[in-house]
mmCIF file of all heavy atoms in Angstrom:
data_model
loop_
_atom_site.group_PDB
_atom_site.id
_atom_site.type_symbol
_atom_site.label_atom_id
_atom_site.label_comp_id
_atom_site.label_asym_id
_atom_site.label_seq_id
_atom_site.Cartn_x
_atom_site.Cartn_y
_atom_site.Cartn_z
ATOM 1 N N TRP A 966 -38.128 -43.983 -34.547
ATOM 2 C CA TRP A 966 -38.339 -45.053 -35.507
ATOM 3 C C TRP A 966 -37.165 -46.024 -35.556
ATOM 4 O O TRP A 966 -36.007 -45.624 -35.458
ATOM 5 C CB TRP A 966 -38.552 -44.490 -36.913
ATOM 6 C CG TRP A 966 -39.760 -43.628 -37.072
ATOM 7 C CD1 TRP A 966 -39.778 -42.277 -37.280
ATOM 8 C CD2 TRP A 966 -41.120 -44.051 -37.041
ATOM 9 N NE1 TRP A 966 -41.070 -41.832 -37.382
ATOM 10 C CE2 TRP A 966 -41.917 -42.901 -37.237
ATOM 11 C CE3 TRP A 966 -41.751 -45.284 -36.865
ATOM 12 C CZ2 TRP A 966 -43.302 -42.951 -37.264
ATOM 13 C CZ3 TRP A 966 -43.133 -45.342 -36.892
ATOM 14 C CH2 TRP A 966 -43.897 -44.184 -37.087
ATOM 15 N N GLN A 967 -37.478 -47.297 -35.782
ATOM 16 C CA GLN A 967 -36.493 -48.308 -36.143
ATOM 17 C C GLN A 967 -36.816 -48.762 -37.569
ATOM 18 O O GLN A 967 -37.732 -49.534 -37.796
ATOM 19 C CB GLN A 967 -36.548 -49.516 -35.216
ATOM 20 C CG GLN A 967 -35.684 -50.695 -35.671
ATOM 21 C CD GLN A 967 -34.228 -50.318 -35.881
ATOM 22 O OE1 GLN A 967 -33.534 -49.955 -34.946
ATOM 23 N NE2 GLN A 967 -33.758 -50.382 -37.126
ATOM 24 N N PRO A 968 -36.054 -48.234 -38.555
ATOM 25 C CA PRO A 968 -36.355 -48.593 -39.945
ATOM 26 C C PRO A 968 -35.981 -50.039 -40.264
ATOM 27 O O PRO A 968 -34.965 -50.557 -39.799
ATOM 28 C CB PRO A 968 -35.497 -47.611 -40.756
ATOM 29 C CG PRO A 968 -35.156 -46.496 -39.809
ATOM 30 C CD PRO A 968 -35.050 -47.160 -38.463
ATOM 31 N N TYR A 969 -36.824 -50.666 -41.066
ATOM 32 C CA TYR A 969 -36.564 -51.978 -41.645
ATOM 33 C C TYR A 969 -36.796 -51.868 -43.148
ATOM 34 O O TYR A 969 -37.891 -51.494 -43.577
ATOM 35 C CB TYR A 969 -37.496 -53.053 -41.087
ATOM 36 C CG TYR A 969 -37.288 -53.367 -39.629
ATOM 37 C CD1 TYR A 969 -38.004 -52.691 -38.640
ATOM 38 C CD2 TYR A 969 -36.395 -54.359 -39.229
ATOM 39 C CE1 TYR A 969 -37.828 -52.984 -37.296
ATOM 40 C CE2 TYR A 969 -36.205 -54.662 -37.882
ATOM 41 C CZ TYR A 969 -36.930 -53.965 -36.930
ATOM 42 O OH TYR A 969 -36.753 -54.260 -35.595
ATOM 43 N N VAL A 970 -35.778 -52.191 -43.931
ATOM 44 C CA VAL A 970 -35.942 -52.244 -45.380
ATOM 45 C C VAL A 970 -36.540 -53.610 -45.711
ATOM 46 O O VAL A 970 -35.962 -54.648 -45.366
ATOM 47 C CB VAL A 970 -34.605 -52.057 -46.108
ATOM 48 C CG1 VAL A 970 -34.824 -52.030 -47.622
ATOM 49 C CG2 VAL A 970 -33.911 -50.789 -45.645
ATOM 50 N N VAL A 971 -37.677 -53.618 -46.354
ATOM 51 C CA VAL A 971 -38.362 -54.877 -46.651
ATOM 52 C C VAL A 971 -37.930 -55.343 -48.040
ATOM 53 O O VAL A 971 -38.221 -54.687 -49.049
ATOM 54 C CB VAL A 971 -39.883 -54.712 -46.574
ATOM 55 C CG1 VAL A 971 -40.575 -56.048 -46.794
ATOM 56 C CG2 VAL A 971 -40.288 -54.119 -45.222
ATOM 57 N N PHE A 972 -37.223 -56.485 -48.073
ATOM 58 C CA PHE A 972 -36.651 -56.956 -49.336
ATOM 59 C C PHE A 972 -36.275 -58.425 -49.176
ATOM 60 O O PHE A 972 -35.931 -58.858 -48.062
ATOM 61 C CB PHE A 972 -35.404 -56.128 -49.695
ATOM 62 C CG PHE A 972 -35.080 -56.125 -51.163
ATOM 63 C CD1 PHE A 972 -35.856 -55.398 -52.054
ATOM 64 C CD2 PHE A 972 -34.011 -56.864 -51.658
ATOM 65 C CE1 PHE A 972 -35.560 -55.397 -53.404
ATOM 66 C CE2 PHE A 972 -33.713 -56.858 -53.005
ATOM 67 C CZ PHE A 972 -34.486 -56.126 -53.891
ATOM 68 N N PRO A 973 -36.313 -59.212 -50.253
ATOM 69 C CA PRO A 973 -35.951 -60.633 -50.145
ATOM 70 C C PRO A 973 -34.501 -60.822 -49.712
ATOM 71 O O PRO A 973 -33.577 -60.242 -50.291
ATOM 72 C CB PRO A 973 -36.170 -61.164 -51.567
ATOM 73 C CG PRO A 973 -37.154 -60.227 -52.176
ATOM 74 C CD PRO A 973 -36.837 -58.887 -51.598
ATOM 75 N N GLY A 974 -34.295 -61.641 -48.680
ATOM 76 C CA GLY A 974 -32.966 -61.826 -48.116
ATOM 77 C C GLY A 974 -31.972 -62.463 -49.047
ATOM 78 O O GLY A 974 -30.756 -62.286 -48.888
ATOM 79 N N GLU A 975 -32.428 -63.203 -50.056
ATOM 80 C CA GLU A 975 -31.507 -63.880 -50.967
ATOM 81 C C GLU A 975 -30.661 -62.902 -51.782
ATOM 82 O O GLU A 975 -29.632 -63.289 -52.345
ATOM 83 C CB GLU A 975 -32.284 -64.802 -51.918
ATOM 84 C CG GLU A 975 -33.285 -64.056 -52.803
ATOM 85 C CD GLU A 975 -34.227 -64.987 -53.548
ATOM 86 O OE1 GLU A 975 -33.774 -65.612 -54.531
ATOM 87 O OE2 GLU A 975 -35.402 -65.082 -53.149
ATOM 88 N N PHE A 976 -31.073 -61.635 -51.829
ATOM 89 C CA PHE A 976 -30.345 -60.642 -52.616
ATOM 90 C C PHE A 976 -29.539 -59.683 -51.738
ATOM 91 O O PHE A 976 -29.029 -58.670 -52.233
ATOM 92 C CB PHE A 976 -31.318 -59.831 -53.476
ATOM 93 C CG PHE A 976 -32.122 -60.668 -54.430
ATOM 94 C CD1 PHE A 976 -33.436 -60.999 -54.149
ATOM 95 C CD2 PHE A 976 -31.552 -61.149 -55.610
ATOM 96 C CE1 PHE A 976 -34.174 -61.779 -55.013
ATOM 97 C CE2 PHE A 976 -32.281 -61.921 -56.488
ATOM 98 C CZ PHE A 976 -33.595 -62.247 -56.194
ATOM 99 N N VAL A 977 -29.415 -59.976 -50.457
ATOM 100 C CA VAL A 977 -28.811 -59.040 -49.508
ATOM 101 C C VAL A 977 -27.398 -59.486 -49.138
ATOM 102 O O VAL A 977 -27.159 -60.649 -48.815
ATOM 103 C CB VAL A 977 -29.674 -58.934 -48.238
ATOM 104 C CG1 VAL A 977 -29.037 -57.972 -47.240
ATOM 105 C CG2 VAL A 977 -31.088 -58.480 -48.583
ATOM 106 N N GLN A 978 -26.478 -58.530 -49.192
ATOM 107 C CA GLN A 978 -25.101 -58.732 -48.727
ATOM 108 C C GLN A 978 -24.709 -57.573 -47.823
ATOM 109 O O GLN A 978 -24.972 -56.420 -48.154
ATOM 110 C CB GLN A 978 -24.133 -58.827 -49.919
ATOM 111 C CG GLN A 978 -24.297 -60.070 -50.765
ATOM 112 C CD GLN A 978 -23.950 -61.339 -50.005
ATOM 113 O OE1 GLN A 978 -23.130 -61.308 -49.073
ATOM 114 N NE2 GLN A 978 -24.571 -62.453 -50.381
ATOM 115 N N PRO A 979 -24.090 -57.858 -46.674
ATOM 116 C CA PRO A 979 -23.841 -59.188 -46.127
ATOM 117 C C PRO A 979 -25.115 -59.797 -45.555
ATOM 118 O O PRO A 979 -26.031 -59.069 -45.150
ATOM 119 C CB PRO A 979 -22.825 -58.919 -45.027
ATOM 120 C CG PRO A 979 -23.144 -57.533 -44.576
ATOM 121 C CD PRO A 979 -23.581 -56.784 -45.804
ATOM 122 N N PRO A 980 -25.194 -61.125 -45.507
ATOM 123 C CA PRO A 980 -26.427 -61.776 -45.038
ATOM 124 C C PRO A 980 -26.766 -61.478 -43.585
ATOM 125 O O PRO A 980 -27.907 -61.684 -43.165
ATOM 126 C CB PRO A 980 -26.124 -63.268 -45.250
ATOM 127 C CG PRO A 980 -24.641 -63.363 -45.351
ATOM 128 C CD PRO A 980 -24.179 -62.085 -45.944
ATOM 129 N N GLU A 981 -25.802 -60.951 -42.810
ATOM 130 C CA GLU A 981 -26.067 -60.627 -41.407
ATOM 131 C C GLU A 981 -27.085 -59.501 -41.255
ATOM 132 O O GLU A 981 -27.640 -59.305 -40.165
ATOM 133 C CB GLU A 981 -24.768 -60.240 -40.693
ATOM 134 C CG GLU A 981 -23.786 -61.384 -40.496
ATOM 135 C CD GLU A 981 -23.049 -61.766 -41.776
ATOM 136 O OE1 GLU A 981 -23.007 -60.915 -42.717
ATOM 137 O OE2 GLU A 981 -22.527 -62.897 -41.844
ATOM 138 N N ARG A 982 -27.320 -58.744 -42.315
ATOM 139 C CA ARG A 982 -28.318 -57.671 -42.248
ATOM 140 C C ARG A 982 -29.743 -58.220 -42.191
ATOM 141 O O ARG A 982 -30.667 -57.508 -41.780
ATOM 142 C CB ARG A 982 -28.218 -56.768 -43.486
ATOM 143 C CG ARG A 982 -27.016 -55.858 -43.546
ATOM 144 C CD ARG A 982 -27.087 -55.013 -44.810
ATOM 145 N NE ARG A 982 -28.232 -54.103 -44.829
ATOM 146 C CZ ARG A 982 -28.673 -53.498 -45.930
ATOM 147 N NH1 ARG A 982 -28.105 -53.739 -47.095
ATOM 148 N NH2 ARG A 982 -29.703 -52.677 -45.851
ATOM 149 N N VAL A 983 -29.941 -59.454 -42.605
ATOM 150 C CA VAL A 983 -31.285 -59.988 -42.799
ATOM 151 C C VAL A 983 -31.897 -60.434 -41.473
ATOM 152 O O VAL A 983 -31.260 -61.119 -40.673
ATOM 153 C CB VAL A 983 -31.261 -61.174 -43.787
ATOM 154 C CG1 VAL A 983 -32.667 -61.761 -43.950
ATOM 155 C CG2 VAL A 983 -30.713 -60.724 -45.137
ATOM 156 N N VAL A 984 -33.146 -60.027 -41.239
ATOM 157 C CA VAL A 984 -33.937 -60.520 -40.118
ATOM 158 C C VAL A 984 -35.255 -61.040 -40.675
ATOM 159 O O VAL A 984 -35.717 -60.602 -41.733
ATOM 160 C CB VAL A 984 -34.198 -59.425 -39.065
ATOM 161 C CG1 VAL A 984 -32.891 -58.923 -38.475
ATOM 162 C CG2 VAL A 984 -34.987 -58.261 -39.669
ATOM 163 N N HIS A 985 -35.841 -61.991 -39.969
ATOM 164 C CA HIS A 985 -37.106 -62.575 -40.411
ATOM 165 C C HIS A 985 -38.237 -62.318 -39.425
ATOM 166 O O HIS A 985 -39.395 -62.619 -39.722
ATOM 167 C CB HIS A 985 -36.950 -64.087 -40.619
ATOM 168 C CG HIS A 985 -35.945 -64.446 -41.664
ATOM 169 N ND1 HIS A 985 -36.165 -64.252 -43.015
ATOM 170 C CD2 HIS A 985 -34.695 -64.976 -41.560
ATOM 171 C CE1 HIS A 985 -35.102 -64.661 -43.696
ATOM 172 N NE2 HIS A 985 -34.195 -65.092 -42.837
ATOM 173 N N GLU A 986 -37.907 -61.747 -38.272
ATOM 174 C CA GLU A 986 -38.902 -61.469 -37.252
ATOM 175 C C GLU A 986 -38.632 -60.113 -36.626
ATOM 176 O O GLU A 986 -37.529 -59.562 -36.756
ATOM 177 C CB GLU A 986 -38.874 -62.550 -36.164
ATOM 178 C CG GLU A 986 -39.202 -63.948 -36.666
ATOM 179 C CD GLU A 986 -39.112 -64.976 -35.567
ATOM 180 O OE1 GLU A 986 -38.593 -64.634 -34.479
ATOM 181 O OE2 GLU A 986 -39.549 -66.117 -35.783
ATOM 182 N N LEU A 987 -39.630 -59.601 -35.919
ATOM 183 C CA LEU A 987 -39.496 -58.360 -35.173
ATOM 184 C C LEU A 987 -39.548 -58.669 -33.680
ATOM 185 O O LEU A 987 -40.091 -59.703 -33.270
ATOM 186 C CB LEU A 987 -40.620 -57.385 -35.534
ATOM 187 C CG LEU A 987 -40.728 -56.948 -36.992
ATOM 188 C CD1 LEU A 987 -41.845 -55.932 -37.140
ATOM 189 C CD2 LEU A 987 -39.412 -56.372 -37.500
ATOM 190 N N PRO A 988 -39.001 -57.792 -32.845
ATOM 191 C CA PRO A 988 -39.105 -58.004 -31.393
ATOM 192 C C PRO A 988 -40.559 -58.128 -30.967
ATOM 193 O O PRO A 988 -41.419 -57.363 -31.412
ATOM 194 C CB PRO A 988 -38.459 -56.741 -30.805
ATOM 195 C CG PRO A 988 -37.559 -56.240 -31.887
ATOM 196 C CD PRO A 988 -38.234 -56.574 -33.180
ATOM 197 N N GLN A 989 -40.837 -59.072 -30.103
ATOM 198 C CA GLN A 989 -42.219 -59.357 -29.686
ATOM 199 C C GLN A 989 -42.483 -58.859 -28.260
ATOM 200 O O GLN A 989 -42.957 -59.600 -27.411
ATOM 201 C CB GLN A 989 -42.473 -60.864 -29.763
ATOM 202 C CG GLN A 989 -42.327 -61.457 -31.151
ATOM 203 C CD GLN A 989 -43.421 -61.015 -32.099
ATOM 204 O OE1 GLN A 989 -44.594 -61.049 -31.743
ATOM 205 N NE2 GLN A 989 -43.051 -60.573 -33.284
ATOM 206 N N ASP A 990 -42.176 -57.589 -27.999
ATOM 207 C CA ASP A 990 -42.396 -57.079 -26.646
ATOM 208 C C ASP A 990 -43.656 -56.235 -26.537
ATOM 209 O O ASP A 990 -43.874 -55.554 -25.543
ATOM 210 C CB ASP A 990 -41.183 -56.278 -26.178
ATOM 211 C CG ASP A 990 -40.901 -55.053 -27.065
ATOM 212 O OD1 ASP A 990 -41.689 -54.784 -27.989
ATOM 213 O OD2 ASP A 990 -39.890 -54.391 -26.827
ATOM 214 N N GLY A 991 -44.468 -56.261 -27.612
ATOM 215 C CA GLY A 991 -45.774 -55.595 -27.525
ATOM 216 C C GLY A 991 -45.728 -54.083 -27.555
ATOM 217 O O GLY A 991 -46.700 -53.425 -27.249
ATOM 218 N N GLY A 992 -44.597 -53.482 -27.941
ATOM 219 C CA GLY A 992 -44.542 -52.032 -28.043
ATOM 220 C C GLY A 992 -44.456 -51.336 -26.707
ATOM 221 O O GLY A 992 -45.113 -50.327 -26.473
ATOM 222 N N GLY A 993 -43.653 -51.862 -25.790
ATOM 223 C CA GLY A 993 -43.530 -51.270 -24.467
ATOM 224 C C GLY A 993 -42.810 -49.941 -24.475
ATOM 225 O O GLY A 993 -42.291 -49.489 -25.493
ATOM 226 N N ALA A 994 -42.768 -49.311 -23.309
ATOM 227 C CA ALA A 994 -42.133 -47.996 -23.182
ATOM 228 C C ALA A 994 -40.662 -48.080 -23.575
ATOM 229 O O ALA A 994 -39.949 -49.007 -23.198
ATOM 230 C CB ALA A 994 -42.272 -47.506 -21.747
#
């Protein structure tokens, strides 16, 4: 698993933790 905590980025410190997209490789091996 690659965990992602789902939460509004405006409340996150440091802001470098925030992502808005996931890798788009289609779930390859």
